[in-house]
Amino acid sequence: MPKEIKLAKFAGFCYGVKRAVETVKKLKAENPDKKVSVLGELIHNTDVINELEALGINTITEIPEHGEGICVVRSHGESPEVIEKIKNAGFTTVDLTCPDVKKVQHTAIELAKNDYYVVIVGKSEHPEVIAIKANAKLWSDKVVVATEIEQLKNFEKEIKSHKKVGVVVQTTQRITTLNKIVEYLTSIAKEIHIANTICQSTSMRQSEAKELAKESDLVIVVGSKKSANTTHLAEILKDITKTIHIENDTELDNYKELIEKAQKIGITAGASTPQNIIEKVIKKLENYQ
């Protein structure tokens, strides 16, 4: 019997990523004689970064003293200090922070301004979270980042003594992580304001993938290992059915035995995974019979 391969409807580029990639390409096409640089990887996908570099769009990791041309702020966002530094270096700045990420930044700022103890649910080393924290810290020192209750216990005394606690969440986080933190905070805080800032695209992608996993012998999650939303997808689905996380079709042979045994295969992909990579995975899977 031929294998049943089903692709999730919400797989691949989300609105914010699509907007960032298309805008950067357009910027270069409209300014062929200007240098176009992106501070940090535009999205967490090596194939896309290589494609952009081939078009003359460079990734820079540090802001030079004297910049020239256009410098793009990626979809994860940056702190106001970094954006100011880009301008002062002499670049023309193009801010491509995802609108959903901007909302989290603004919410965190409002909470900090209104004397809330701000808790950001997210990974402290993630660029999106670094930018959210930096924005909130302009207004208050009472800002912490956590994905685990243990991380918050160091601040328990401070949180208890503060009248109000405000919670925002990294756009690509798991709802279970948010719920766990909120449950703990509810037990120690006098007043709590929760802003569920997980983006709609992430929520829909996770919900649909769960349903797909329930009816699959194997689920293949396609996307960068550096992508938060992709790794979260793989973590969620591993609790439901056999799940493998690959970056592209070249890794499929590592799981030959698993694939050959599976009759119903579900495929989903992270928000920074391009369509052509997903298509290559499907094409290669069709050869496993």
Side-chain angles (χ1 to χ4, degrees):
M1 275 180 72
K3 292 188 186 303
E4 196 181 308
I5 299 165
K6 191 173 178 184
L7 174 65
K9 195 165 62 173
F10 299 108
F13 281 1
C14 65
Y15 156 74
V17 167
K18 189 169 185 277
R19 168 181 169 264
V21 173
E22 286 177 357
T23 306
V24 166
K25 287 180 179 177
K26 192 174 174 221
L27 272 173
K28 186 61 188 171
E30 289 173 355
N31 301 277
D33 303 326
K34 278 188 184 175
K35 272 190 178 180
V36 177
S37 307
V38 183
L39 182 60
E41 289 187 343
L42 183 70
I43 64 168
H44 287 146
N45 188 280
T46 310
D47 296 81
V48 174
I49 300 304
N50 292 340
E51 184 195 350
L52 295 177
E53 281 183 358
L55 293 171
I57 300 156
N58 301 313
T59 301
I60 58 170
T61 53
E62 287 177 12
I63 303 160
E65 208 174 316
H66 302 291
E68 57 172 296
I70 298 163
C71 185
V72 172
V73 173
R74 59 188 174 167
S75 49
H76 303 100
E78 287 291 354
S79 68
E81 187 189 358
V82 169
I83 292 172
E84 197 57 35
K85 208 173 167 186
I86 294 168
K87 288 175 184 169
N88 291 340
F91 286 108
T92 299
T93 311
V94 176
D95 187 354
L96 290 183
T97 306
C98 170
D100 286 326
V101 174
K102 278 271 192 217
K103 277 180 203 166
V104 193
Q105 291 179 1
H106 291 149
T107 305
I109 288 167
E110 284 308 307
L111 290 168
K113 274 184 180 178
N114 288 295
D115 195 35
Y116 280 88
Y117 195 108
V118 181
V119 175
I120 302 164
V121 180
K123 291 188 174 172
S124 57
E125 70 281 6
H126 194 279
E128 178 192 322
V129 176
I130 291 166
I132 295 163
K133 185 181 178 183
N135 275 278
K137 288 278 265 187
L138 288 176
W139 301 95
S140 169
D141 280 336
K142 306 290 183 194
V143 182
V144 293
V145 177
T147 50
E148 300 291 337
I149 291 165
E150 286 307 310
Q151 293 168 296
L152 283 177
K153 283 191 172 167
N154 299 327
F155 305 94
E156 191 168 303
K157 207 178 268 185
E158 279 184 50
I159 294 167
K160 275 182 173 176
S161 64
H162 209 80
K163 281 182 183 170
K164 306 187 289 185
V165 177
V167 181
V168 294
V169 57
Q170 182 184 346
T171 57
T172 52
Q173 265 301 327
R174 296 172 65 169
I175 190 75
T176 50
T177 305
L178 172 63
N179 290 342
K180 186 175 61 180
I181 296 284
V182 167
E183 190 181 348
Y184 164 72
L185 287 172
T186 307
S187 71
I188 63 166
K190 294 183 184 79
E191 182 189 322
I192 186 165
H193 176 93
I194 304 145
N196 178 358
T197 49
I198 296 172
C199 81
Q200 201 183 0
S201 168
T202 298
S203 300
M204 290 190 300
R205 193 182 303 264
Q206 290 178 359
S207 298
E208 186 201 17
K210 281 183 201 171
E211 292 310 308
L212 182 63
K214 285 173 192 171
E215 55 188 54
S216 305
D217 309 320
L218 175 69
V219 173
I220 298 170
V221 180
V222 188
S224 171
K225 303 284 195 318
K226 290 191 285 185
S227 160
N229 76 85
T230 313
T231 51
H232 289 149
L233 260 184
E235 284 164 11
I236 290 164
L237 303 181
K238 273 174 186 165
D239 294 336
I240 303 168
T241 192
K242 281 195 184 75
T243 302
I244 60 175
H245 178 182
I246 59 168
E247 298 212 340
N248 53 45
D249 62 303
T250 61
E251 291 175 53
L252 284 172
D253 288 338
N254 301 338
Y255 304 96
K256 197 170 186 284
E257 205 177 313
L258 262 180
I259 294 164
E260 284 173 351
K261 278 182 186 170
Q263 187 54 43
K264 291 184 173 183
I265 300 174
I267 301 169
T268 186
S272 51
T273 310
Q275 195 59 36
N276 66 317
I277 288 178
I278 299 167
E279 284 165 7
K280 280 180 185 174
V281 169
I282 293 169
K283 201 172 179 185
K284 191 162 181 176
L285 278 175
E286 286 167 351
N287 295 325
Y288 285 93
Q289 292 302 342

